[in-house]
Amino acid sequence: MPNWSEVVLEIQAIEQAQMGVNPFDVVRKKYLSKIHQITGRNVIAYYSGWLQKPNFANTQVNDKDKSGFMLAINKLDKSKGLDLLLHTPGGDVAATESLVDYLYSMFDKDIRVIVPQISMSAGTMIALSSKEIIMGKHSNLGPIDPQMNGLACQAILSEFQYAIEDIAKNPSSAILWQTIISKYHPTFLGACKQAIEWSDRMVSAWLNYNMCEGEPEKVKTILKAFSNHTEQKSHSRHIPKKECIELGLKIIDLETDQELQDAVLTTHHMFFHTFNNTTAIKIIENHLGVAYFENHAAITPQKN
């Protein structure tokens, strides 16, 4: 399979030979189809262009994504299961829950997630709902601790608890803590607690249902590691394949199948080329060439 530079040459060759044809679409679909040929399974790529276009909205998981998945899943043979290529910074938890419920209704437990590079936050939640995750040495998942206004809910609750303890020991610190804690509105702490409980309950249910069925202690270990802000330190931490395996996740090494690895990474390169050279900021696309695009200014479902 071609590397990054060789893919560019393939794009340029199509551009020169076929006037009026979008070479990025042609080459991207070629390699998505190649993944299907190798696995014999349905393939859907869910790709965000947040790395190339960090200042644009709608690059995160949101409720509009379900429309893209409905388009991509329509007319697929559901009995062949689903291989879902994920590249996302994460996003809305409610939208994530709804999307996973929809995927279960279509494919039940027969869902594998392939992470070519990064699937963070809500993207990791989706990965944890699958029966197994295919990762390479370059692949990363991320913590799933809920965030509120860009702040870790667990960190907020910890800070508040520390304030209570500090004031009890040193009453003169109350004035200082009043200034710090006053930035939170009255219902904010309750909302943070509920967000943590909701996220943990949701991911725990998915792990128990699919990847870790019949292994409740393993579920607790995985959930504790991925949802613990104190342990992970940052919501943006990249958790590598080796650590995912050690925690008990069912991980398949992408490197064990050279043909599949080449097809996955070439497809990954093609999505990056597409984001770099078009107005697309998010793409949901299946191996048949049915694609849903979100662009800078508009949402455009397409079937090519």
Side-chain angles (χ1 to χ4, degrees):
M1 293 289 174
N3 59 30
W4 178 276
S5 299
E6 291 167 339
V7 168
V8 172
L9 294 176
E10 187 171 355
I11 292 169
Q12 292 172 346
I14 292 175
E15 196 169 27
Q16 293 171 3
Q18 303 180 43
M19 298 297 293
V21 173
N22 186 323
F24 302 101
D25 289 348
V26 173
V27 181
R28 194 179 61 250
K29 291 169 184 176
K30 171 185 173 181
Y31 290 103
L32 267 176
S33 178
K34 182 65 175 177
I35 296 173
H36 165 70
Q37 293 170 23
I38 295 168
T39 65
R41 295 168 59 81
N42 293 306
V43 180
I44 295 178
Y46 175 76
Y47 260 73
S48 168
W50 94 97
L51 294 178
Q52 292 79 15
K53 299 165 183 176
N55 297 322
F56 286 99
N58 297 325
T59 58
Q60 296 191 333
V61 177
N62 58 64
D63 279 321
K64 291 176 290 185
D65 295 339
K66 188 182 286 187
S67 296
F69 275 92
M70 290 171 66
L71 180 69
I73 291 172
N74 185 37
K75 298 183 180 179
L76 293 182
D77 181 352
K78 315 302 187 299
S79 67
K80 293 182 178 179
L82 174 65
D83 283 349
L84 178 60
L85 275 73
L86 274 181
H87 182 76
T88 175
D92 184 73
V93 174
T96 301
E97 180 180 40
S98 179
L99 180 56
V100 169
D101 286 346
Y102 175 62
L103 293 178
Y104 277 158
S105 73
M106 293 290 103
F107 302 98
D108 195 28
K109 299 180 181 181
D110 195 7
I111 300 170
R112 301 194 304 180
V113 164
I114 303 174
V115 181
Q117 183 179 353
I118 309 173
S119 184
M120 300 292 285
S121 191
T124 295
M125 291 181 174
I126 296 172
L128 295 179
S129 74
S130 68
K131 68 176 184 179
E132 54 196 17
I133 307 170
I134 301 175
M135 300 177 71
K137 295 177 180 178
H138 37 73
S139 305
N140 294 101
L141 299 180
I144 61 171
D145 57 306
Q147 309 286 291
M148 285 279 188
N149 301 327
L151 301 173
C153 291
Q154 291 180 7
I156 292 168
L157 294 178
S158 295
E159 181 180 51
F160 189 76
Q161 182 60 37
Y162 181 72
I164 294 174
E165 295 172 357
D166 189 38
I167 291 172
K169 296 177 182 177
N170 181 18
S172 62
S173 67
I175 297 176
L176 174 61
W177 279 114
Q178 183 179 13
T179 302
I180 296 172
I181 299 301
S182 64
K183 62 186 177 184
Y184 304 135
H185 58 74
T187 61
F188 190 66
L189 295 176
C192 286
K193 182 178 180 180
Q194 290 175 359
I196 294 170
E197 293 173 351
W198 178 22
S199 175
D200 285 357
R201 183 175 66 246
M202 183 169 63
V203 176
S204 176
W206 293 341
L207 286 167
N208 278 298
Y209 176 70
N210 206 359
M211 187 182 296
C212 301
E213 183 180 8
E215 300 178 284
E217 292 306 312
K218 182 180 288 187
V219 171
K220 292 178 183 178
T221 298
I222 294 169
L223 192 61
K224 180 180 179 182
F226 277 90
S227 65
N228 192 326
H229 179 78
T230 301
E231 180 176 332
Q232 299 296 345
K233 306 302 181 184
S234 170
H235 192 64
S236 62
R237 179 172 180 256
H238 291 23
I239 301 174
K241 178 180 69 175
K242 182 176 182 291
E243 187 171 338
C244 291
I245 294 172
E246 291 171 349
L247 288 170
L249 294 182
K250 291 181 181 177
I251 304 296
I252 296 176
D253 291 328
L254 183 59
E255 289 83 6
T256 59
D257 187 332
Q258 187 63 51
E259 188 180 18
L260 179 60
Q261 177 181 228
D262 288 345
V264 166
L265 294 183
T266 303
T267 302
H268 180 66
H269 295 334
M270 275 312 308
F271 276 97
F272 273 39
H273 283 303
T274 303
F275 291 131
N276 282 327
N277 293 278
T278 71
T279 59
I281 57 174
K282 184 185 290 181
I283 305 173
I284 303 171
E285 185 169 23
N286 71 18
H287 65 273
L288 299 175
V290 178
Y292 173 96
F293 289 81
E294 287 192 25
N295 299 305
H296 292 177
I299 304 167
T300 309
Q302 299 181 7
K303 182 175 181 180
N304 299 311

